[in-house]
């Protein structure tokens, strides 16, 4: 099974903190020694990562479409051996719809864009390159990071869960569409994990009593990536996956095959 150890050059979008930064470090330490490019908005964090031997590119995934195209084109032209992209950039906002006046619609739009629309846009822009790489026999990987909350929604972060459910659904369809291309989709589904994601909500101190330590999460995620699993659900996300998602991708595959038979 093609897996992440086959990668020669990996881009981690959103790697100045948390899960993205930890995965980038583990990927860089693989015996296959891939080149690892990291992105984020915070230049001082990128400077620290450059000192550790990472390639760095400053980028805001909330840029407009032209900005995202420019970002993708510049990465592909600077790193023509790029074969894998992890999409870790993500944000989370709480919304209380019992107090509709408190719902910040700008935050909601940012969340939808960062967690879903920008990722699908970047995938669209990266695909011509990744399909070309895969056509040479080099496996290519697209690795969206969704969440256990894509499966079982957390009502305190209702729109975050909807963005992750959308990305999860899209990942299943994308994987089906790309099945014969050599571009593989691996969806990483974390549980609640130690990171900076909840800092702005003031919740990190209390969540730190229950979240999965980052090292433990990263080790488990790397095991799935090294096996080449299509889904890498971890901890509580694995429990939700087992209970509610079993057979879903297979059913989607069946529906796609039937549709092809009917429409030719
Ligand atoms: N931690 C959890 O409990 C958990 C659970 C399930 C899923 N996840 C998912 O895992 C992924 C990583 O989250 P995390 O917990 O590691 O969060 P984190 O510690 O807050 O890190 C988020 C990363 O995304 C980057 N980012 C955010 N907005 C960006 C933007 N507009 N443009 C470019 N980069 C941006 C940040 O970099 P800059 O600020 O430097 O731009 C940072 O590197 C997210 O997709 C999250 O939804 C996390």
């Amino acid at each position: 099974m093609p897996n992440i150890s086959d990668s020669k050059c990996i881009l981690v979008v959103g790697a100045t903190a948390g899960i993205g930064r930890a995965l980038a470090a583990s990927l860089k330490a693989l015996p296959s020694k891939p080149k690892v490019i990291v992105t984020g908005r915070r230049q001082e964090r990128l400077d620290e990562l450059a000192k550790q031997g990472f390639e760095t590119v400053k980028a805001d995934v909330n840029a407009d479409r032209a900005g995202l195209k420019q970002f993708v084109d510049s990465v592909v032209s600077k790193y023509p051996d790029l074969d894998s992209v992890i999409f870790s950039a993500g944000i989370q906002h709480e919304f209380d719809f019992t107090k509709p006046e408190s719902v910040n619609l700008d935050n909601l739009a940012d969340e939808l864009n960062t967690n879903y629309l920008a990722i699908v846009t970047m995938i669209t822009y990266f695909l011509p390159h990744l399909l070309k790489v895969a056509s040479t026999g080099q496996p290519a990987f697209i690795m969206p990071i969704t969440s256990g909350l894509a499966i079982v929604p957390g009502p305190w972060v209702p729109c975050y869960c909807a963005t992750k459910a959308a990305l999860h659904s899209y990942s299943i369809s994308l994987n089906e569409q790309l099945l014969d291309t050599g571009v593989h989709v691996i969806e990483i589904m974390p549980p609640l994990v130690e990171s900076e994601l909840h800092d702005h909500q003031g919740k990190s101190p209390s969540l730190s009593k229950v979240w999965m330590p980052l090292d433990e999460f990263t080790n488990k995620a790397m095991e799935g990536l090294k096996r080449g699993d299509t889904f890498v659900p971890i901890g509580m996300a694995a429990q939700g996956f087992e209970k509610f998602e079993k057979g879903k991708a297979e059913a989607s595959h069946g529906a796609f095959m039937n549709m092809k038979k009917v429409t030719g």
Side-chain angles (χ1 to χ4, degrees):
M1 191 67 190
N3 68 76
I4 202 65
S5 301
D6 299 314
S7 266
K8 297 192 168 83
C9 181
I10 306 167
L11 170 71
V12 187
V13 178
T16 54
I19 290 173
R21 184 170 57 185
L23 281 176
S26 294
L27 292 165
K28 192 165 166 295
L30 281 171
S32 48
K33 296 267 169 264
K35 188 184 293 164
V36 181
I37 310 151
V38 293
T39 77
R41 291 163 299 182
R42 284 171 284 183
Q43 187 60 52
E44 67 286 359
R45 296 274 182 108
L46 292 172
D47 292 343
E48 282 168 28
L49 289 160
K51 282 185 206 147
Q52 295 164 33
F54 291 95
E55 299 286 320
T56 67
V57 179
K58 189 169 184 230
D60 182 350
V61 304
N62 249 332
D64 62 13
R65 216 181 283 163
L68 290 181
K69 179 85 169 77
Q70 196 182 25
F71 161 64
V72 171
D73 287 349
S74 67
V75 169
V76 166
S77 111
K78 189 165 178 197
Y79 305 102
D81 53 346
L82 179 80
D83 55 49
S84 302
V85 187
I86 295 185
F87 293 97
S88 192
I91 55 171
Q92 183 181 89
H93 290 293
E94 290 184 297
F95 297 112
D96 181 352
F97 286 88
T98 67
K99 300 189 184 78
E101 68 288 353
S102 71
V103 173
N104 182 325
L105 293 174
D106 288 334
N107 285 348
L108 193 154
D110 277 356
E111 192 176 54
L112 177 61
N113 194 56
T114 306
N115 294 359
Y116 181 69
L117 196 52
I119 296 172
V120 178
T121 303
M122 286 185 279
I123 289 173
T124 308
Y125 291 149
F126 273 120
L127 264 172
H129 170 78
L130 295 177
L131 286 166
K132 202 162 86 191
V133 166
S135 72
T136 67
Q138 166 65 41
F141 298 92
I142 293 173
M143 293 167 279
I145 300 193
T146 62
S147 170
L149 296 179
I151 305 170
V152 180
W156 59 98
V157 283
C159 299
Y160 173 82
C161 300
T163 65
K164 293 295 181 178
L167 189 61
H168 169 53
S169 173
Y170 169 77
S171 301
I172 294 173
S173 297
L174 183 67
N175 189 43
E176 280 299 322
Q177 288 198 8
L178 297 177
L179 267 188
D180 299 324
T181 65
V183 180
H184 307 272
V185 179
I186 299 185
E187 181 185 347
I188 302 169
M189 310 180 87
L192 182 63
V193 175
E194 174 186 12
S195 80
E196 297 174 13
L197 188 69
H198 314 94
D199 284 3
H200 73 102
Q201 298 163 359
K203 283 204 157 168
S204 294
S206 43
L207 292 181
S208 68
K209 298 185 184 94
V210 288
W211 64 26
M212 181 180 277
L214 189 54
D215 280 354
E216 183 184 342
F217 166 79
T218 309
N219 290 337
K220 289 189 168 145
M222 288 300 294
E223 282 169 21
L225 295 179
K226 285 194 258 186
R227 280 193 302 266
D229 293 352
T230 303
F231 300 97
V232 184
I234 290 161
M236 288 295 284
Q239 289 171 25
F241 190 85
E242 188 65 29
K243 189 160 178 194
F244 299 112
E245 293 284 315
K246 274 266 142 128
K248 188 172 176 179
E250 291 77 4
S252 175
H253 176 72
F256 196 29
M257 293 303 112
N258 282 338
M259 182 56 75
K260 279 182 171 170
K261 246 188 247 162
V262 172
T263 59

